[in-house]
Amino acid sequence: MAISPLPGKRGTKSRRVRLEDIAKTVGVSLSTVSRALSGEKGVRADIRERILEAARTANYVVPTPIAGKKVILAASSAAMIDYVRNQFTLYVLEGLRDRAQALGLEIVTRSVAGHAEEKTMLDEAGADPDVLGLLFLTVDDEAMLAATRAFAKPVVMINGDDPLMRLSSVTPCNRSAARLAAEHLIGLGHERILFLMRPGRHTIERRREGWRDAFLHRNLACPDDLVVLVDDWLPNLAAQAITARIRENGLDFSAILAAGDSLAVGAMTGLQEQGYLVPADVSVMGIDDLPQAAFAHPPLTTMHIPMRELGSVALDLLRDSITGSPMPARRIELACHLVERASVSRFLSR
């Protein structure tokens, strides 16, 4: 079958050529064109060649083939600890590996616990022609980010962001997720809502900001003493923090929003150990929607974080940086949604 020219002349770059034009010319679906041009599996060799020829004839910028290449996933200590304790990192990796399989890419996971390990990894990745780029998972260390910004190959951060916007990143929309959670509680009549968190990470600070946004939006007071800090994401530390809070101030709140499900589960334990019922006496919400949230007692109301999608979208963003036209660094935030279970109820004045 002869390939008819598409709008645009050879030697000139046409901005009008779209994937739909190539699909129509070759007589295949849009998804087939997309898969063929991106080097994904599942397209017959003869059809792929016809699509590529049509793209070349139209002067369409054909993406660089990536199938069979490698992407290094550099996981921080925080990511590795979470992998052992919870399933957030696990689901991010599942989404990443499923997308890599579709693209024909190999994911090589490396643990990066310090600057020496990072330098070694960067040197090896830079020298290996089969390594297309890097994904950094749950990294906040500014010194590590500074070293990575000078790396010659594309870098995308997952579940973290670069404050200077020199590196692209994919995160949940942590601020809006926390705001939606707090507004859900406020809508049920709660005005004294503790925010339980472990400080330190940029992403978790965004969640505290979202909690505060909800109060400001409703013109409600948001005193600093409503923030309860813990040293780690362990449920027993959350239980201890809530117990200490009640012993010192009494039950001066009607709801708790925890920055993570593990802390929310611990908060419920602390309340129950003090003789309070959830949600009859205190409503409790989390953020993450980890699988264990559905099996808490009572089942935990929480904000669903699209964990698998974080991995897949980050890999697509890295691929675009490799195969597309040069673009500034981008920060992509994925929307989150409320999952209502049994740990939250309407506030009844005491």
Side-chain angles (χ1 to χ4, degrees):
M1 172 183 172
I3 302 297
S4 301
L6 297 176
K9 299 178 180 179
R10 281 191 178 274
T12 61
K13 189 173 182 179
S14 172
R15 296 181 181 273
R16 294 183 296 167
V17 177
R18 302 175 302 164
L19 294 186
E20 291 90 339
D21 299 321
I22 298 173
K24 182 178 180 180
T25 299
V26 182
V28 297
S29 68
L30 182 61
S31 62
T32 299
V33 172
S34 179
R35 292 200 307 274
L37 293 179
S38 63
E40 295 184 32
K41 297 178 181 179
V43 180
R44 276 177 21 207
D46 61 320
I47 294 177
R48 187 188 303 275
E49 183 53 39
R50 287 165 52 198
I51 291 170
L52 292 173
E53 177 59 26
R56 286 191 290 267
T57 299
N59 201 35
Y60 183 86
V61 179
V62 179
T64 304
I66 61 173
K69 300 294 186 177
K70 296 184 290 187
V71 170
I72 292 180
L73 174 72
S76 68
S77 298
M80 300 307 294
I81 291 171
D82 178 83
Y83 184 85
V84 173
R85 290 180 181 172
N86 299 304
Q87 293 174 292
F88 188 102
T89 299
L90 172 66
Y91 285 116
V92 172
L93 294 178
E94 281 189 359
L96 174 61
R97 286 168 178 158
D98 286 348
R99 187 62 182 140
Q101 185 176 17
L103 296 174
L105 287 169
E106 177 186 358
I107 301 297
V108 179
T109 303
R110 295 279 297 271
S111 174
V112 180
H115 305 309
E117 290 182 359
E118 181 192 28
K119 184 179 186 307
T120 299
M121 181 205 62
L122 292 175
D123 289 344
E124 293 175 356
D128 188 343
D130 287 335
V131 173
L132 295 176
L134 302 178
L135 297 169
F136 266 63
L137 178 59
T138 314
V139 172
D140 284 294
D141 188 296
E142 174 54 34
M144 293 182 70
L145 295 182
T148 307
R149 292 186 189 110
F151 188 60
K153 297 180 180 181
V155 178
V156 172
M157 300 177 64
I158 309 176
N159 195 36
D161 58 61
D162 179 3
L164 300 181
M165 278 298 294
R166 294 179 184 173
L167 299 176
S168 292
S169 60
V170 179
T171 68
C173 191
N174 291 291
R175 186 164 182 162
S176 69
R179 174 174 172 171
L180 288 170
E183 288 192 343
H184 178 66
L185 292 169
I186 293 171
L188 293 172
H190 299 279
E191 295 188 3
R192 293 281 296 177
I193 305 169
L194 294 187
F195 188 72
L196 180 60
M197 64 176 290
R198 179 189 178 182
R201 298 209 64 231
H202 299 312
T203 54
I204 303 305
E205 291 300 328
R206 300 295 86 76
R207 294 182 183 184
R208 171 159 50 179
E209 291 166 1
W211 164 80
R212 192 178 299 277
D213 288 343
F215 284 88
L216 296 175
H217 180 68
R218 299 294 188 99
N219 293 316
L220 296 174
C222 186
D224 291 338
D225 70 349
L226 288 178
V227 178
V228 178
L229 305 180
V230 294
D231 293 330
D232 208 341
W233 294 100
L234 298 173
N236 65 301
L237 296 183
Q240 293 170 13
I242 294 302
T243 297
R245 168 79 187 209
I246 293 172
R247 288 176 177 172
E248 182 176 349
N249 299 308
L251 194 65
D252 64 338
F253 54 91
S254 65
I256 299 172
L257 174 58
D261 287 351
S262 59
L263 297 186
V265 170
M268 290 197 293
T269 300
L271 289 165
Q272 291 159 354
E273 288 176 348
Q274 293 298 304
Y276 295 106
L277 299 176
V278 177
D281 296 316
V282 180
S283 291
V284 179
M285 279 191 71
I287 300 175
D288 282 333
D289 194 25
L290 297 171
Q292 55 265 40
F295 301 100
H297 179 67
L300 182 66
T301 295
T302 185
M303 294 298 298
H304 176 79
I305 301 297
M307 293 171 275
R308 286 187 175 89
E309 290 82 355
L310 289 175
S312 60
V313 171
L315 188 56
D316 280 341
L317 181 54
L318 183 71
R319 179 195 62 177
D320 291 346
S321 300
I322 296 163
T323 63
S325 301
M327 289 285 289
R330 287 165 284 176
R331 179 178 296 163
I332 296 177
E333 295 187 336
L334 304 185
C336 309
H337 65 265
L338 175 68
V339 178
E340 295 189 68
R341 296 194 179 99
S343 65
V344 168
S345 65
R346 183 168 294 280
F347 174 67
L348 300 176
S349 59
R350 299 188 181 105

